[in-house]
Each structure stands twice: as structure tokens, then as C-alpha cells.
Amino acid sequence: MKTFMKLTASSLFLGIPVLAMFLVCPVGVRAQQYLTVDCTGANTYAYPSITAALPNATPGSFILVTGPCNENVSLNGLSGLNVGAYFGQTATINGSITINNAQNIFLYGLNVTNTAGNGVSVSNSRGISLNVCSSSGNAGMGLSVNGMSDVTVGASGAFDHNGNGGININGHSLVALVAFAGSVDISNNSGPGVWESTGSVFSTLGPTTIMNNVSGVGTNPGYGLELLGGARAQVGSLFGPNTIAGNQAGGASVQENSEISFFSLGQPNLIQGNGPVGVSVSLGSQVTFYDISAAFNAQITDHTAAGVDLYANSQAYFNGSNQILRNGTVSDPRSAGIRVDGNSEAFLRGGQVAQNNGPAILALVNSSADFSGVTFSGNAQGQIITCDSSSWMVSDIAKPTSSFLSPGVACRTPHALGNRDIFKSLPTTPDWSGPKAQFDKYAKAAVKH
């Protein structure tokens, strides 16, 4: 049964002062939906802090913030809350944001700096979304996510100049970057740009820049991405290119049964000038470079030892127009475009390995390379592949009639059966309509009049 309220002229007239009270009073009925915070104190009708507004927030509330706010914000045990600056604006939080045992929390336009620890910490929470937010200049990590939590960084974001790394993902958690309205920058941190372990997942659809991260104190190396303990990462380039460059320890380190995939959805993945190695894969781990577009996927250039380094029972699969250029140092005998070591395997289908200071492919200690359709040019002394006595190759390189080996090839072929067929389904374009719909809802509701 539906019940309707009959509105008379007198009831409307009597309702006018009540409505006016709701518009100016921060604790009125309207405040259950829109709670105004002005940390500057200029608006005396607003709450003086986010913490002061939280007791009156209910699921679906919008806490609209004017900063700067000097406070540590705890969004613990809450659900369905929107906290942020008015749409198109930003608000500074001098302190931290902690989210624990919460769900469906949407943050917008908050610039967090905590001189005493992490900027944003999320644990045991679901459906957390950071949009046009930054967490930079923190003494600890920019963003820490653990306890089987999932976090989306939507629209754009930044996690820079932090004292213990940019983004830390642990405990079977997930962080997805969906930068449909800008870019996400994870740069100039002391420690890795992105660190993940214990079955956690990181993904980006670009454009993402992970640059100039340096080694911190103790065993905190400055990789662009560091994956341990069965972690997974997907680096895709739908909205724009991803750039991993200038990281002191290396571009990406993938260890302990972890996996990383670089795939192109129209834009390249640029891995450039990262310490000794562009992508290092070891201890039973895997890397895939997959080109879906007509341009090129990964461009791995200008590293001092190797573009891609595989060792300790690890694998790499290159598909399409990847480029591995200008890696290695003349004085280093282990330099190569691709180095395959310690019972490891490299599969290449197409692409270019060129101008490296060393062979295009160096295979050592029971390792193998299976390649076809690859362009090799300008590598040191014209070397296409060099193997030690325990390693092998299978390729589409034509053998001369008078010799077992072709020019530039110093490697044995174990059989005459040709390359192995590799069948791999094309990745589908991810559905990012959910984060975009959340963003559009906030944009419509949080306009300052």
C-alpha cells in the first residue's frame, strides 16, 4: 500500500522556515545527505573537520570538504560514504586517511600528506575508490592496501615523493588504476613505485608513469614494480601509454612464482633506462609482452645489462611488434637484449631485437630460446643468439647448406621439427563503466553553487 502526503497551501507556507533551517544547519535532516566541512573556519555553519562530520553521516551521505584540514581521518566500519572536495576542486589533508572494515567508500579531490606515516591505508575493505586524489610527501607509503581489500584509483592520481614507496599491496588485495580522465603518477619515491606480495593483484589501463624511484633504507630497492609471493600485475595501455623509466634498481622485478603482463590496447608500454635491467624475471616467474594494436607494445631500451633478464626456471613470451633496443654495456660480457639463464625459456613471435651491446639473445645454463619472425640488426658483432654448451634454440633462421650454423648464431638446435605452435587468446578490453559511473554520479551531486 502506498501512502501519499497531501500538500496544502498552508503546509507549504509553514514548511518554508523549516526548509531554510535545513539549508544552513549542518546537523539538520538535509545534513544526513550533504554534510559540509570547512576546515578553515570561514563557514561557521559547516563542520570544522571531517572527523566532526562523521558521526552524522549515513550510507549515501556526501561529506563535502574545504581545506586544508589538519587531522587524521578514520573511515572505519563505514559504508556507502562519499568524502571529498566539491567537484572540480581539491582539499588538502595534512594527516592520514585510514579505512578499515569498510565498504563502498568514494574519495574525491583529496591531497594527503602525512609527515608521521602512511598517507592512505586500506585494510579489510571492499569497493574503495580514490578519484583525482594524491598521497604524496608522506613519511611512509603513499597507499597501503592489505587484508583482501580492493581499491580503484579512478580518473587520475599521484603517489609521489613518499619515504617508503608509492603503492604497497599485500594480503591477497587488489589495486586497479583506471585513469580515464588524466594519468596516475608513481614517481620519485624512496623504495619501489609499486610493491606487491602474497597473491595480490595490480592493474593499470594507462596512462601511468612510474619513474625515478630510488632505493631506500635497508632492503628497500628502488624498482618501478616489485612482485613477490605469487603476485600478479597487468600493465595495459588503453587510455594512454605507460612509462616505466629511470628507476634505480630496475624497471620491474618479478620473483617467487609471480606473473606480469604488458599488453597494448592502442598505446605503447615504454620501459626505458632503468638501472641494470628493464624487466627481471626469476624464481619460477613469468612475463608476457602482448601486442594487440597495429603499432608496437613494449619498447625496452637503454639498460646497462639486459633489456629482459630471465633466470631460475622462469619464462617470457613476446608476441607482436615489441622492440628491445640499445641494452647492455660493452665491458659487460653478460650484456644482451634478452638474457635467458638457469633453466629458463624465451618464446618470441615477431618484434625487433636490435642495437644491443651484446647478442640479441644470450642463453646460459640449460636454457632455451624459441623464436620466429623476429628482426635482428645492429647487435654487437652481428650476434643473433649466443648459447653456452648446455643451452639450445629453435628458430626460423635458414641454415646455410655448407655449415650447421647461420651467421650470428652460436647455438645448437635440438631437432628439425621447427618452432612450437603457441595459441593464446586475445585479451578483451576491460569494462571500466563502473568506476566511470561512480565518478559521474559524484560530479553531478557535488557541485558547489
Side-chain angles (χ1 to χ4, degrees):
M1 176 183 297
K2 294 183 179 180
T3 302
F4 297 91
M5 178 181 293
K6 183 177 180 180
L7 297 178
T8 65
S10 59
S11 65
L12 284 171
F13 178 80
L14 291 173
I16 290 174
V18 178
L19 176 61
M21 179 185 71
F22 290 162
L23 290 173
V24 299
C25 179
V27 196
V29 173
R30 184 177 182 269
Q32 295 179 355
Q33 183 67 24
Y34 292 92
L35 309 178
T36 302
V37 173
D38 187 346
C39 296
T40 69
N43 182 358
T44 58
Y45 293 104
Y47 292 97
S49 67
I50 298 171
T51 302
L54 285 174
N56 295 297
T58 59
S61 291
F62 286 76
I63 298 179
L64 301 177
V65 183
T66 300
C69 298
N70 301 314
E71 59 179 317
N72 295 319
V73 180
S74 297
L75 305 177
N76 298 334
L78 299 176
S79 176
L81 196 61
N82 303 278
V83 182
Y86 289 93
F87 186 74
Q89 300 183 17
T90 61
T92 297
I93 308 295
N94 294 314
S96 64
I97 296 178
T98 303
I99 304 171
N100 184 33
N101 290 314
Q103 58 183 347
N104 300 326
I105 304 295
F106 186 96
L107 305 181
Y108 173 85
L110 300 178
N111 298 331
V112 182
T113 300
N114 180 16
T115 59
N118 297 337
V120 179
S121 299
V122 180
S123 60
N124 305 300
S125 297
R126 305 287 181 273
I128 309 304
S129 184
L130 282 66
N131 298 264
V132 199
C133 290
S134 71
S135 183
S136 300
N138 300 284
M141 291 166 277
L143 172 63
S144 174
V145 182
N146 60 63
M148 299 182 69
S149 299
D150 67 86
V151 174
T152 299
V153 177
S156 64
F159 306 90
D160 301 335
H161 298 283
N162 296 293
N164 199 26
I167 298 177
N168 184 294
I169 316 167
N170 202 359
H172 299 280
S173 296
L174 180 149
V175 171
L177 311 186
V178 189
F180 53 81
S183 65
V184 176
D185 189 52
I186 311 170
S187 299
N188 298 294
N189 296 288
S190 180
V194 177
W195 183 94
E196 57 173 317
S197 184
T198 320
S200 295
V201 177
F202 169 81
S203 67
T204 179
L205 295 177
T208 304
T209 53
I210 305 176
M211 298 177 63
N212 302 323
N213 296 288
V214 300
S215 298
V217 296
T219 57
N220 198 15
Y223 291 107
L225 300 102
E226 184 176 10
L227 281 63
L228 301 166
R232 304 289 184 265
Q234 298 280 332
V235 181
S237 55
L238 173 63
F239 301 117
N242 296 300
T243 302
I244 303 171
N247 299 287
Q248 185 179 34
S253 173
V254 187
Q255 301 183 48
E256 300 173 354
N257 293 311
S258 297
E259 298 176 7
I260 191 168
S261 295
F262 297 88
F263 59 94
S264 170
L265 292 166
Q267 300 284 338
N269 291 298
L270 306 174
I271 305 171
Q272 301 172 332
N274 298 281
V277 176
V279 180
S280 174
V281 186
S282 67
L283 303 176
S285 298
Q286 297 179 337
V287 60
T288 297
F289 301 92
Y290 206 101
D291 176 27
I292 304 171
S293 69
F296 64 87
N297 174 20
Q299 188 180 74
I300 307 169
T301 64
D302 302 303
H303 301 93
T304 59
V308 177
D309 187 19
L310 313 171
Y311 63 97
N313 192 33
S314 296
Q315 296 84 36
Y317 175 48
F318 300 81
N319 176 276
S321 50
N322 301 289
Q323 297 177 319
I324 304 171
L325 311 173
R326 303 187 303 275
N327 300 285
T329 305
V330 174
S331 60
D332 182 0
R334 294 173 60 88
S335 290
I338 302 169
R339 187 165 61 205
V340 194
D341 195 1
N343 297 290
S344 297
E345 302 168 283
F347 294 88
L348 293 85
R349 298 295 181 266
Q352 181 183 22
V353 189
Q355 304 170 34
N356 296 284
N357 288 314
I361 302 171
L362 176 62
L364 305 169
V365 190
N366 297 314
S367 296
S368 65
D370 183 326
F371 55 92
S372 64
V374 183
T375 300
F376 301 99
S377 63
N379 298 291
Q381 299 176 350
Q383 299 175 79
I384 294 173
I385 181 169
T386 298
C387 296
D388 68 8
S389 60
S390 65
S391 300
W392 304 81
M393 76 163 194
V394 176
S395 78
D396 59 349
I397 297 175
K399 298 183 179 63
T401 57
S402 59
S403 173
F404 177 72
L405 297 177
S406 298
V409 174
C411 196
R412 299 175 297 164
T413 300
H415 55 70
L417 301 178
N419 299 101
R420 173 173 288 277
D421 292 330
I422 300 177
F423 300 99
K424 189 176 181 68
S425 58
L426 289 174
T428 58
T429 302
D431 180 6
W432 52 281
S433 59
K436 184 62 166 59
Q438 280 188 304
F439 183 85
D440 290 343
K441 178 182 177 182
Y442 190 93
K444 183 177 180 180
V447 177
K448 191 170 186 176
H449 298 289

